[in-house]
Amino acid sequence: MDIEPFGLERWFGQYEHGADIMLAESGIRPLDSERFDTDPGELNYVIPTDGDPEFRDEIGERYGRGKDEVCFTCGTQEANLLIFLSLLDEGDHAVVVTPTYQALQSVPDAVGDVTRVWLSEGDWRLDVDAVADAMREETKLVVLNNPNNPTGRYHDEAKVQELYDLAAENEAYLLCDEVYRLLDDDPLPPVASLGEWGISTTSLTKAYGLAGLRFGWIAGPEDVVQQAVEWKDYTTISPPIFGQHVAKQALGEQEDEILAENRELAKTNRDIVREFVEEHDLEWYDPVGVNGFVSVPEGFADAREFCVAVVEEESVVLAPGDLFGFENYWRLGFGLPTAELEEGLERVARVIERGGTN
Ligand SMILES: Cc1ncc(COP(=O)(O)O)c(C=O)c1O
């Protein structure tokens, strides 16, 4: 099995450590551990290893599902991996809506065979007919990330229902990575609540600002979740005990406050970025979440040239769009503290004003 190198991680590996400001992080700024009780007691595995059953029941209620239809994981990354390992064999096929987070296309492509269906450039609209055209007899899975990384497009309820119906008619599962979903003020029903062919994955990484917990889950049909649990015995065995302990607090009495705070930060920062985009005659799709996919300023051959100039001249990391298949866009992550965002944008502006080589 061959796996493509994770382009974004390699780019970060090259530049992130030595840079002053990270404007390419895709989540909201991290919360401080002081907000939580961080003593889970005995540092054993979580037992049972798919997570505390009562807590799984509580999470299941968010999807109209029970505890055996939820498996706790080490982040969304493991949740997605377990689904790909469970549902795809060699010769099986998945349709992946792109651009997207690379793991959602490279992992299924390593396990089975992938057809990518592209969102329309600029408004990043999802064409369900194009997905229908890409479906095959051996298609087991349709993969969506909603809200989308890198574009910030949030496909609406009717569109997601249409995609779900298409998958279900073809007896394929719709896997939706919903890690950004709760950054929207009015989130759609999760895909795992739509019916027997719906699977949702998510975590506390992006919307809650708790990436270091490494705590996420799969919600979906029991047989699929139980296959994932079987695979999990070979990946991480159990979710992290610290992660589960803090997640109970973050998803319990602190949830409303955390989400309100994070949505407010996302909104404040989005307004600042919107102004920046307008001021520099750039284009973007006004996003949900904290990622914007922005056009390359005049004077630069492509996003890579621009992003290299920004990091080398001003020590600010952006993400070039070729990592997502679009060389004329760059991804800006604006979930960081507002003062840092402002400082970062000032530095990016200086590079734009100096211009490129083109
Ligand atoms: C769409 C998407 N899914 C999953 C992940 C990984 O998240 P986690 O920390 O929950 O594993 C990311 C991180 O950037 C992401 O953007």
Side-chain angles (χ1 to χ4, degrees):
M1 195 194 291
D2 288 331
I3 185 84
E4 230 183 305
F6 202 134
L8 186 66
E9 292 299 332
R10 295 301 99 239
W11 167 263
F12 287 167
Q14 190 176 354
Y15 289 113
E16 185 179 16
H17 185 64
D20 295 344
I21 301 180
M22 181 67 176
L23 280 191
E25 171 51 55
S26 58
I28 203 103
R29 56 85 193 87
L31 294 181
D32 201 289
S33 63
E34 278 181 5
R35 290 174 79 127
F36 304 101
D37 178 295
T38 49
D39 179 6
E42 243 182 31
L43 295 182
N44 200 352
Y45 291 111
V46 167
I47 296 171
T49 54
D50 52 350
D52 176 335
E54 256 176 51
F55 191 29
R56 275 189 283 123
D57 232 350
E58 275 172 43
I59 297 298
E61 274 172 28
R62 299 172 180 225
Y63 300 88
R65 293 184 178 273
K67 63 180 182 328
D68 296 331
E69 297 172 299
V70 174
C71 169
F72 292 151
T73 60
C74 294
T76 319
Q77 189 82 302
E78 189 192 24
N80 291 331
L81 173 73
L82 295 176
I83 291 300
F84 297 135
L85 292 172
S86 302
L87 293 184
L88 297 176
D89 283 323
E90 215 179 314
D92 287 339
H93 178 246
V95 179
V96 181
V97 176
T98 53
T100 193
Y101 183 60
Q102 191 181 330
L104 293 171
Q105 82 212 17
S106 294
V107 179
D109 202 32
V111 183
D113 185 23
V114 162
T115 302
R116 297 169 73 173
V117 170
W118 293 89
L119 300 174
S120 59
E121 185 174 339
D123 62 358
W124 313 111
R125 220 171 14 82
L126 168 61
D127 180 355
V128 176
D129 290 339
V131 176
D133 291 344
M135 301 283 287
R136 300 184 199 152
E137 187 78 24
E138 62 276 20
T139 304
K140 294 278 169 51
L141 197 57
V142 175
V143 182
L144 183 70
N145 168 215
N146 201 33
N148 174 253
N149 171 7
T151 65
R153 180 67 144 102
Y154 198 18
H155 309 293
D156 67 19
E157 191 168 352
K159 189 65 87 173
V160 175
Q161 184 69 49
E162 208 187 324
L163 190 66
Y164 174 83
D165 292 342
L166 172 72
E169 273 159 31
N170 288 274
E171 300 193 347
Y173 291 99
L174 174 60
L175 165 65
C176 193
D177 177 326
E178 294 167 345
V179 74
Y180 297 99
R181 175 175 162 266
L182 293 180
L183 280 174
D184 192 50
D185 287 336
D186 191 15
L188 301 184
V191 160
S193 70
L194 297 185
E196 60 173 318
W197 298 98
I199 303 169
S200 295
T201 53
T202 193
S203 74
L204 274 71
T205 293
K206 308 295 178 186
Y208 295 80
L210 292 168
L213 289 188
R214 307 311 303 131
F215 194 83
W217 60 84
I218 304 166
E222 185 171 340
D223 57 333
V224 175
V225 170
Q226 292 313 311
Q227 282 179 67
V229 170
E230 283 184 18
W231 269 109
K232 194 170 188 307
D233 292 338
Y234 292 100
T235 54
T236 57
I237 306 180
S238 86
I241 198 144
F242 283 107
Q244 182 176 274
H245 182 68
V246 175
K248 283 180 183 175
Q249 301 162 59
L251 296 167
E253 58 192 23
Q254 293 206 40
E255 183 168 38
D256 290 348
E257 190 187 323
I258 291 174
L259 289 178
E261 218 177 278
N262 291 351
R263 285 174 185 165
E264 186 57 36
L265 176 65
K267 184 175 174 306
T268 303
N269 286 2
R270 196 180 303 118
D271 290 348
I272 291 169
V273 176
R274 188 180 300 116
E275 224 171 85
F276 170 90
V277 164
E278 279 166 16
E279 207 177 301
H280 294 91
D281 282 331
L282 304 173
E283 315 248 328
W284 78 335
Y285 174 86
D286 207 323
V288 166
V290 287
N291 288 295
F293 213 36
V294 187
S295 62
V296 175
E298 248 178 62
F300 294 87
D302 54 25
R304 195 155 279 252
E305 184 183 293
F306 175 60
C307 293
V308 168
V310 170
V311 72
E312 289 186 350
E313 294 170 24
E314 294 288 348
S315 202
V316 175
V317 182
L318 307 172
D322 58 272
L323 296 169
F324 301 93
F326 288 89
E327 60 185 27
N328 292 322
Y329 294 82
W330 47 285
R331 192 187 75 185
L332 170 66
F334 55 83
L336 68 177
T338 303
E340 271 179 61
L341 172 69
E342 285 172 330
E343 165 70 23
L345 289 178
E346 257 175 50
R347 295 185 189 205
V348 176
R350 290 206 285 266
V351 177
I352 296 177
E353 278 145 28
R354 283 198 291 273
T357 56
N358 232 20

